[in-house]
Amino acid sequence: SCAVHVAGLGGDALTTMWTVQPAVEPREILWPALERRAPARSRARSELVLAFVKYALCIFWSLIVAGLALAVQAVLAFVGQLPSAAVRALVQVVSGVVPVVLASLLLGLMAPILRALHVSLGGVWSESHAGARVQADYSTFLTVVAFFAPMLATSVWSAVP
């Protein structure tokens, strides 16, 4: 910070504290996002829409991942009833690999979606700011979708007779 001394009209001095930060490099600025930056009132509305969309995406992705976890549980329950050991082994391998690949693809899609949302709705105008916002949201998203949703779905599935 730096102190700025400004002389008032009546001769009294006014000291104002400013925060000085280094300017970002031009290649880090998202120029199209900077050009369409909305007024503060409109940005508040955009932030509200962004929060709603993020929560809706989190719930939607949670349902997909929970459904995937339930499908794995159903396949494993079905495998136990198969007569052939070779077929059981093959189905177990497939039921162990396919859900992991699908979950990885689903979870990998969310980071670019979050970045696009933050640039279009969140008022983000630099790459580093976009990266920080996406990282914060993605860590929350991973905690909910990759941990709580499958855990809750498999707990409910095992409790149902």
Side-chain angles (χ1 to χ4, degrees), residues 3-152:
V4 177
H5 184 77
V6 180
L9 292 176
D12 56 345
L14 176 68
T15 303
T16 305
M17 296 298 291
W18 288 353
T19 301
V20 179
Q21 297 175 336
V24 297
E25 292 188 27
R27 67 176 175 243
E28 187 183 276
I29 296 174
L30 301 169
W31 293 104
L34 189 61
E35 291 172 358
R36 66 174 179 262
R37 198 159 157 87
R41 193 164 132 189
S42 179
R43 281 195 309 257
R45 192 173 353 177
S46 293
E47 285 289 332
L48 185 64
V49 170
L50 177 64
F52 175 76
V53 170
K54 287 189 303 187
Y55 289 127
L57 278 173
C58 193
I59 291 169
F60 176 70
W61 245 259
S62 294
L63 292 174
I64 291 173
V65 172
L68 194 60
L70 290 177
V72 169
Q73 291 292 322
V75 166
L76 291 177
F78 174 72
V79 166
Q81 300 171 0
L82 292 176
S84 171
V87 173
R88 272 199 313 261
L90 179 65
V91 171
Q92 284 179 340
V93 168
V94 170
S95 68
V97 172
V98 171
V100 172
V101 171
L102 288 176
S104 174
L105 289 173
L106 285 173
L107 295 176
L109 285 174
M110 193 54 155
I113 291 172
L114 284 173
R115 185 183 185 289
L117 284 172
H118 278 295
V119 170
S120 64
L121 293 174
V124 174
W125 55 270
S126 73
E127 292 287 345
S128 60
H129 192 211
R133 302 259 320 251
V134 168
Q135 182 180 8
D137 288 342
Y138 194 68
S139 64
T140 303
F141 169 78
L142 282 179
T143 302
V144 171
V145 172
F147 179 68
F148 288 120
M151 183 180 67
L152 183 63

